C-alpha cells in the first residue's frame, strides 16, 4: 500500500511556530534587558514571575523622588517595559475609581501619619481600558519616598490593535440571553480589551463588558453576571458570577442542670438545644439538628441579624412573667452565630 504525505501543511506549521517563537523570544529579550537594567541600578532587587510575566518587584527600595507621585512616575518612565507596557499606555488612576490616584496605607496612631502611599496605574490601549489590568506601587512615606513594592496585573498586548469597532448592544444582549435566558436587566456595553487575568494566557480581543441580572434582588434565586462579549463574533470570552451566596451557620445551646434533680441540686453545663428555631431578620429560617447546629440558607455576604428563640419543631416555651426570650446577634456570613 502506498502512502502519500503532504509536506506543505507541515512546512506552514513550522513557519508559524518559528515566527511565534521568535516573537516570544523578542518580547522576553526586551523584558530581560529592562530587568538587567533595574538590577544593575538597584542590586538585590527581586522579581516574582508567572511564566514570562513579571507580577511583583520587591526586596529592596528601587526608586526615589520628592513625593510619592514623582517616585512612581520615574519608575514608570524608565522601567514600565518590565511589564511589556509603554508609559503612554498607563494612566494614573485606580481601576475602581478614575478619580483615585493614591491611597494611604498603614495608619500609625502614635504619629497620626501613614507609613506608606499606594499609587495606582491602569492600563489602556487607544483610550480603551484593558480588563482588570493595573499596576500598584507601594512607596514608603519618608525622605526620598522610596519605592518598595510593585504589584502588576498588566498585560503584554504585543502588536494588538483594537481598531475602531463600536459597541453593539443588540449583539451584547443576544449573547447574554444565550448565556442565561433568565437575564432580563442588561447594562449598556462598555468597550474593554480582554487579555486574561491572573495566570491566564489568551490572545487579546476587543470585547463589550456588560452586567446582567435576572431581576430578583434580595432573594436566593438572584443571578447577576459580568460578561465580556467579543465585539465582532458575539462569543462570550469571560464570565464572572457577581453574587456570593453565603449560608449562615452556628449553634444553639443553653445552661442545663446535670442529673434529675432541681436546678439548685446540681451543676449547670452548656448543653446543645436540639431542633431550636433560628432565623435571619427579613430572611430565611431553619431548625437546629440534634447537636444544636444549624445552617440558614442565605443569599449575600453583607452583615445580617440572626435570631434565636425558645421555640422549635417539638417545643414552645412561654414566659408568663414577662416577654419571651429572643436573642439577636449581628454576624457577617458565614458566621458562626453561636447562641
Amino acid at each position: 500500500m502506498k502512502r502519500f504525505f503532504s509536506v506543505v501543511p507541515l512546512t506552514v506549521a513550522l513557519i508559524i511556530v518559528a515566527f511565534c517563537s521568535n516573537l516570544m523570544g523578542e518580547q522576553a529579550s526586551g523584558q530581560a534587558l529592562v530587568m538587567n537594567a533595574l538590577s544593575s541600578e538597584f542590586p538585590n532587587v527581586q522579581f516574582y514571575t508567572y511564566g514570562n510575566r513579571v507580577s511583583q518587584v520587591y526586596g529592596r527600595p528601587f526608586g526615589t523622588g520628592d513625593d510619592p507621585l514623582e517616585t512612581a512616575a520615574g519608575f514608570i518612565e524608565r522601567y514600565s517595559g518590565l511589564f511589556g507596557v509603554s508609559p503612554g499606555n498607563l494612566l494614573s488612576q485606580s481601576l475602581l475609581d478614575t478619580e483615585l490616584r493614591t491611597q494611604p496605607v498603614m495608619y500609625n496612631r502614635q504619629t497620626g501619619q501613614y507609613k506608606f502611599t499606594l499609587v495606582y496605574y491602569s492600563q489602556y490601549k487607544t483610550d480603551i481600558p484593558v480588563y482588570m489590568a493595573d499596576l500598584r506601587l507601594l512607596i514608603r512615606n519618608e525622605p526620598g519616598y522610596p519605592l518598595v513594592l510593585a504589584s502588576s496585573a498588566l498585560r503584554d498586548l504585543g502588536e494588538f490593535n483594537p481598531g475602531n469597532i463600536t459597541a453593539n448592544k443588540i449583539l451584547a444582549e443576544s449573547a447574554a440571553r444565550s448565556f442565561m435566558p433568565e437575564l432580563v436587566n442588561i447594562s449598556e456595553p462598555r468597550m474593554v480589551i480582554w487579555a486574561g487575568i491572573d495566570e491566564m494566557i489568551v490572545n487579546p480581543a476587543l470585547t463589550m463588558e456588560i452586567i446582567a441580572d435576572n431581576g430578583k434582588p434580595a432573594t436566593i434565586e438572584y443571578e447577576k453576571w459580568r460578561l465580556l462579549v467579543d465585539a465582532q463574533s458575539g462569543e462570550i470570552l469571560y464570565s464572572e458570577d457577581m453574587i456570593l451566596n453565603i449560608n449562615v451557620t452556628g449553634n444553639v445551646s443553653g445552661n442545663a442542670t446535670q442529673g434529675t434533680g432541681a436546678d439548685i441540686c446540681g451543676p449547670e453545663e452548656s448543653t446543645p438545644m436540639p431542633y431550636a428555631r433560628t432565623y435571619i431578620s427579613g430572611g430565611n429560617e431553619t431548625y437546629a439538628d440534634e447537636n444544636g447546629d444549624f445552617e440558614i440558607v442565605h443569599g449575600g455576604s453583607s452583615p445580617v441579624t440572626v435570631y434565636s428563640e425558645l421555640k422549635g419543631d417539638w417545643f414552645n416555651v412561654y414566659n408568663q412573667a414577662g416577654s419571651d426570650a429572643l436573642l439577636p446577634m449581628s454576624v457577617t456570613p458565614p458566621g458562626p452565630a453561636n447562641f
Side-chain angles (χ1 to χ4, degrees), residues 66-109:
D66 291 335
D67 57 53
L69 288 174
E70 183 176 287
T71 295
F75 176 78
I76 291 297
E77 187 64 32
R78 300 183 64 186
Y79 295 114
S80 64
L82 187 67
F83 312 106
V85 177
S86 66
N89 289 330
L90 295 175
L91 293 183
S92 180
Q93 63 184 39
S94 165
L95 285 175
L96 302 178
D97 183 354
T98 57
E99 301 298 321
L100 183 64
R101 302 177 66 191
T102 64
Q103 176 69 48
V105 177
M106 196 175 290
Y107 180 71
N108 187 323
R109 293 180 179 274

Side-chain angles (χ1 to χ4, degrees), residues 125-189:
K125 180 79 172 186
T126 62
D127 296 327
I128 300 175
V130 181
Y131 182 73
M132 295 302 290
D134 71 343
L135 176 66
R136 304 181 186 193
L137 303 177
L138 191 66
I139 296 161
R140 191 179 296 135
N141 292 327
E142 62 182 44
Y145 295 94
L147 173 60
V148 295
L149 174 68
S151 183
S152 169
L154 302 175
R155 318 302 290 193
D156 189 342
L157 302 182
E159 300 301 319
F160 173 75
N161 187 342
N164 297 317
I165 301 175
T166 57
N168 183 335
K169 187 174 183 180
I170 295 177
L171 182 63
E173 290 179 345
S174 175
R177 294 196 171 99
S178 296
F179 175 79
M180 184 177 290
E182 296 81 8
L183 298 178
V184 294
N185 299 318
I186 300 174
S187 69
E188 289 291 330

